[in-house]
Amino acid sequence: SQQGEEDPQALSIQEGENATMNCSYKTSINNLQWYRQNSGRGLVHLILIRSNEREKHSGRLRVTLDTSKKSSSLLITASRAADTASYFCATAVDPSNTGKLIFGQGTTLQVKP
Amino acid sequence: EAGVAQSPRYKIIEKRQSVAFWCNPISGHATLYWYQQILGQGPKLLIQFQNNGVVDDSQLPKDRFSAERLKGVDSTLKIQPAKLEDSAVYLCASSPGRQGFGNYGYTFGSGTRLTVV
């Protein structure tokens, strides 16, 4: 079964608005990562947040992590049409003897010009 | 820095045929992963290599799927015989090491889209 569950499954906004995606997971983690996937392409790593961090920023991206609630959120500010893609959270389960990432089902974001 | 290379980009085969995918990770990356992504779903790990050894193949359908990473560099994933439900995108990714021994993002290739008819 999937470790991470994203919410919402689909999101449609106007250019310039903010987009918020949420991820919930089930077990303790070492870190949580967010990836973007444009249609027909591979995944691109966006940001990594460690289990002892609560918030992290990268450009227009802001990620929060609440380990007590086993949840994370990705905020994209001032969205652009080019942000249209699917976004996945992935968790590195801790403790783990393999260190693999487990991906959620993703949120499909559409940004309308 | 060159990215993760995968080939072919697309493949269409009939069921019961065999197919092979190739991946060349980023130079120096010790860990290599093969993921299967069915349309509309998130990637699912098939197999993880650390150098040329298998770390995790618990979700690899071993009756039909096989993978190798000779010399700890490039890797091939094979399906024989293919089934209709194998239609998916097969993604290869690499990272400098294993999570838990550091914190690493993955670098993914563009994937191979397999259609089984």
Side-chain angles (χ1 to χ4, degrees):
Chain A
S1 64
Q2 295 286 1
Q3 156 82 323
E5 297 291 336
E6 284 96 336
D7 172 63
Q9 286 190 312
L11 182 60
S12 181
I13 59 174
Q14 294 295 133
E15 205 166 27
E17 293 180 339
N18 295 341
T20 300
M21 288 158 262
N22 303 296
C23 171
S24 60
Y25 56 91
K26 298 174 183 175
T27 63
S28 296
I29 61 171
N30 180 274
N31 67 64
L32 185 145
Q33 305 181 24
W34 286 90
Y35 288 78
R36 183 186 75 234
Q37 185 176 37
N38 291 90
S39 180
R41 308 298 297 177
L43 284 80
V44 174
H45 180 256
L46 295 176
I47 196 164
L48 180 153
I49 187 165
R50 296 175 174 80
S51 60
N52 61 353
E53 296 176 315
R54 293 298 167 257
E55 188 171 312
K56 205 162 183 178
H57 297 255
S58 177
R60 293 184 296 113
L61 305 181
R62 173 178 168 253
V63 169
T64 61
L65 178 65
D66 187 334
T67 53
S68 67
K69 295 181 179 178
K70 292 186 170 60
S71 67
S72 173
S73 67
L74 170 68
L75 169 67
I76 305 174
T77 59
S79 63
R80 305 166 182 168
D83 295 329
T84 294
S86 293
Y87 292 81
F88 295 90
C89 71
T91 50
V93 178
D94 180 38
S96 170
N97 63 354
T98 68
K100 65 186 178 187
L101 284 181
I102 302 174
F103 286 81
Q105 300 281 49
T107 293
T108 300
L109 172 65
Q110 181 185 32
V111 181
K112 299 175 184 176
Chain B
E1 166 180 86
V4 174
Q6 287 191 248
S7 66
R9 279 286 280 134
Y10 305 93
K11 191 74 176 179
I12 300 174
I13 62 171
E14 295 182 349
K15 59 184 179 183
R16 292 187 290 275
Q17 286 188 326
S18 62
V19 64
F21 313 124
W22 174 81
C23 172
N24 190 26
I26 289 178
S27 178
H29 277 195
T31 314
L32 183 148
Y33 315 83
W34 283 101
Y35 280 82
Q36 178 193 58
Q37 186 178 23
I38 293 172
L39 185 65
Q41 298 183 16
K44 182 184 84 170
L45 181 70
L46 292 175
I47 190 166
Q48 176 182 346
F49 291 94
Q50 180 74 15
N51 296 310
N52 61 348
V54 175
V55 175
D56 186 339
D57 63 357
S58 57
Q59 297 194 81
L60 186 74
K62 298 181 186 64
D63 58 334
R64 298 184 301 105
F65 286 65
S66 65
E68 61 182 10
R69 190 185 184 196
L70 299 176
K71 301 180 182 178
V73 182
D74 55 352
S75 175
T76 56
L77 175 69
K78 297 178 182 178
I79 307 175
Q80 181 179 12
K83 293 184 175 181
L84 296 176
E85 58 261 36
D86 297 332
S87 294
V89 176
Y90 291 84
L91 295 162
C92 179
S94 69
S95 67
R98 289 159 56 176
Q99 310 294 336
F101 298 94
N103 292 282
Y104 307 107
Y106 288 8
T107 302
F108 278 86
S110 296
T112 296
R113 182 176 297 277
L114 173 67
T115 303
V116 182
V117 298

